[in-house]
Amino acid sequence: MIVDFFSWLFTTRTGVLCLVVGGILLFLLIAFLLERKTRKEYYNHEKTDDDWDLFDDDDEEES
């Protein structure tokens, strides 16, 4: 049964697509969680003009 799963995962087009999409989603989740952790750790960082914000939580409106 496990051999059949790995055979499907690596030899069929659908399996490889699931593997690639699953990897992308996994790394997006990891990046999101690490960004949240970093944001909590450095909450008192003074922002400069060179800083960019992934979540854009600022109330400032850029015109």
Side-chain angles (χ1 to χ4, degrees):
M1 180 151 151
I2 293 175
V3 173
D4 292 334
F5 173 73
F6 281 112
S7 176
W8 171 81
L9 189 63
F10 292 108
T11 60
T12 64
R13 185 174 294 218
T14 308
V16 172
L17 183 63
C18 289
L19 188 64
V20 170
V21 170
I24 290 172
L25 291 176
L26 175 69
F27 282 104
L28 281 174
L29 177 65
I30 291 169
F32 179 77
L33 292 175
L34 289 176
E35 174 67 23
R36 298 278 300 200
K37 180 181 175 188
T38 302
R39 180 176 282 260
K40 285 181 182 178
E41 189 171 332
Y42 297 106
Y43 65 92
N44 59 353
H45 172 73
E46 291 186 25
K47 292 191 177 192
T48 63
D49 291 338
D50 294 335
D51 288 345
W52 59 276
D53 191 5
L54 179 64
F55 296 104
D56 198 21
D57 290 336
D58 294 337
D59 292 331
E60 301 174 8
E61 292 188 21
E62 296 178 15
S63 305

